[in-house]
Amino acid sequence: MRRVVVTGVGPVSSIGVGAVEYALALRAGASGISEITSFDASGFPHRMGGEVRDFQPEKIVRRIEVDDWGRTSLFAAAAARLAVEDAGIDEELLTGARAGAVLGTTAGESQVLESVTRQALAEGYDAVSPERMGRIDAGRISLAAGTELGLTGDLLTLSTACAAGNYALAHSLDLIRTGEADYMVAGGADSVQQWLHAGFYKLGAVAEHACAPFDRDRAGILTAEGGAALFLESLDSARRRGARIYAEVLGAGLNCDAYHMVAPNAASIADCMRLALADAGVRPDEVDYIGAHGTGTPTNDVVEFTAAREVFGDPPPPISSTKSMLGHTMGAASGMAAIAAALGIAESFLPPTINFGTPDPELPGIDPVPNTARPAEVGIAMVNGFAFGGNNAIVVLGRCDD
């Protein structure tokens, strides 16, 4: 099977757009959290989120018309465009049938759905144009990326919620490994929206001010948005064109325990970690860093760390969460963490967990890389993504010195 590498990254986030800005923000431990403006949040007791305030898709995309697409699709298209530009590949190579895009999402174009629903309730169903109704389809997220890049290969949107970005990476890895595709754009996208914020608030999972993973006083997630895309190709392809290689995608593991709709299961997550390590051909003692799912909810962080201790022993590798800086970008979350890990491997640093103040006695021996990035040689990194219903997706990245 072919070896697969990451040669381009395209983050569109609340802390930075593009590889350079995102890496600088990670190193600085920046926060992208502010009071939500995407909808009237005044009725919510908790109103903070991670919005991409300065998102100007018309300055990034070239082919698609911005007015024809919803916000989530525009995040996906912009992230894909940035990843391809970052890879420095001739776009003509992507117009054949062996280049595609796989994007994950939690809520798809629910901003569009909310808008259409409001119009229908206020003015009647006949007032809603068929063209606006057509923008609701979540499949348009990968279509936006494919149209923007002129791709004619597989375009797939995966709705495996908060683990969807890793599912997209794992599927893209398989397509290139087996020779079914030569180039893939993989990642995810989601937007801040009212119903999702309301749902997580009613679950009791939304923090009031800050997301503080692994801190004793952590109180939950902050809803957030953005797009994350990684450009993947075979190692041979990257070598032929002299591309810069951020990292090699060594392997991936997927499982689903269906243990509970929202409660994660430590044994199942540990099994998924072992699956990913086995697929990557990596021993636990070779892993230098874990990019955590790290939601900042009391339960998730204990369960995730318990699974890490079961697989890696004591102490497990440093484990940090980009959600402390970005909020929870849902379908883009594991893509954001994978980009952070790839940058950490390429530029020799560990992304931090910000808002960390008090160690939790339930997480003995944890190293959350507190508050500031840390210089470190990162040979191998594990990136975790977990979702509703016990969907677990884990990707293993490694330095490519060949």
Side-chain angles (χ1 to χ4, degrees):
M1 291 192 295
R2 301 193 296 184
R3 295 170 66 182
V4 179
V5 294
V6 180
T7 54
V9 297
V12 180
S13 80
S14 59
I15 63 170
V17 175
V20 174
E21 281 191 18
Y22 190 63
L24 288 172
L26 291 172
R27 286 179 178 275
S31 173
I33 304 306
S34 57
E35 190 155 323
I36 290 172
T37 61
S38 296
F39 58 88
D40 179 5
S42 59
F44 287 93
H46 299 176
R47 297 185 288 272
M48 304 300 283
E51 295 176 320
V52 186
R53 290 286 184 88
D54 55 354
F55 181 47
Q56 296 178 290
E58 66 278 6
K59 293 187 175 180
I60 301 174
V61 299
R62 298 179 188 172
R63 283 199 175 101
I64 65 172
E65 293 293 332
V66 169
D67 290 342
D68 292 343
W69 301 83
R71 186 171 175 85
T72 305
S73 294
L74 291 171
F75 279 137
R81 167 61 65 188
L82 290 170
V84 166
E85 289 184 349
D86 190 46
I89 190 166
D90 182 351
E91 280 189 51
E92 289 300 315
L93 293 174
L94 305 181
T95 57
R98 293 175 62 83
V102 185
L103 279 303
T105 189
T106 293
E109 286 291 13
S110 288
Q111 275 199 356
V112 180
L113 178 60
E114 287 181 344
S115 173
V116 166
T117 302
R118 279 194 294 270
Q119 184 183 14
L121 290 173
E123 305 171 28
Y125 289 111
D126 292 342
V128 180
S129 72
E131 186 274 336
R132 287 193 71 209
M133 291 290 289
R135 295 185 192 177
I136 295 172
D137 182 4
R140 284 171 58 86
I141 295 170
S142 58
L143 178 63
T147 303
E148 169 61 21
L149 299 173
L151 306 179
T152 56
D154 288 355
L155 301 177
L156 178 64
T157 300
L158 299 172
S159 56
T160 41
C162 308
N166 269 358
Y167 274 88
L169 279 165
H171 185 59
S172 298
L173 168 65
D174 281 347
L175 290 175
I176 298 176
R177 261 180 173 176
T178 57
E180 292 188 46
D182 291 329
Y183 310 102
M184 292 298 298
V185 174
D190 259 304
S191 302
V192 166
Q193 50 206 273
Q194 188 170 6
W195 76 264
L196 194 70
H197 188 82
F200 277 101
Y201 178 77
K202 291 294 287 183
L203 278 174
V206 176
E208 183 172 4
H209 299 294
C211 176
F214 310 121
D215 185 276
R216 183 196 63 188
D217 301 321
R218 62 192 180 276
I221 72 167
L222 295 176
T223 55
E225 65 182 4
L230 297 90
F231 184 76
L232 308 184
E233 61 187 303
S234 71
L235 175 60
D236 289 342
S237 168
R239 283 173 171 162
R240 279 196 302 273
R241 64 185 192 88
R244 169 205 49 215
I245 296 173
Y246 285 106
E248 181 172 358
V249 188
L250 297 173
L254 313 174
N255 68 3
C256 179
D257 54 70
Y259 167 73
H260 191 278
M261 186 60 193
V262 295
N265 180 280
S268 173
I269 290 171
D271 285 344
C272 193
M273 290 177 172
R274 294 188 185 98
L275 286 172
L277 292 173
D279 188 52
V282 167
R283 300 190 311 271
D285 64 352
E286 294 178 300
V287 175
D288 301 303
Y289 166 69
I290 300 173
H293 185 59
T295 58
T297 61
T299 299
N300 173 87
D301 293 1
V302 169
V303 169
E304 185 170 12
F305 188 64
T306 298
R309 292 179 71 194
E310 183 177 324
V311 173
F312 294 97
D314 283 324
I319 177 170
S320 69
S321 172
T322 53
K323 293 182 179 70
S324 62
M325 293 173 271
L326 303 167
H328 196 331
T329 55
M330 306 294 162
S334 48
M336 294 289 188
I339 292 174
L343 290 168
I345 289 169
E347 300 180 9
S348 301
F349 73 96
L350 300 181
T353 302
I354 68 170
N355 306 317
F356 185 86
T358 307
D360 185 345
E362 290 194 79
L363 307 173
I366 191 170
D367 175 3
V369 195
N371 300 315
T372 56
R374 180 186 305 161
E377 293 299 317
V378 186
I380 296 176
M382 170 180 282
V383 180
N384 295 341
F386 314 135
F388 296 128
N391 273 299
N392 306 310
I394 295 175
V395 171
V396 179
L397 304 178
R399 179 184 294 124
C400 185
D401 293 325
D402 294 352

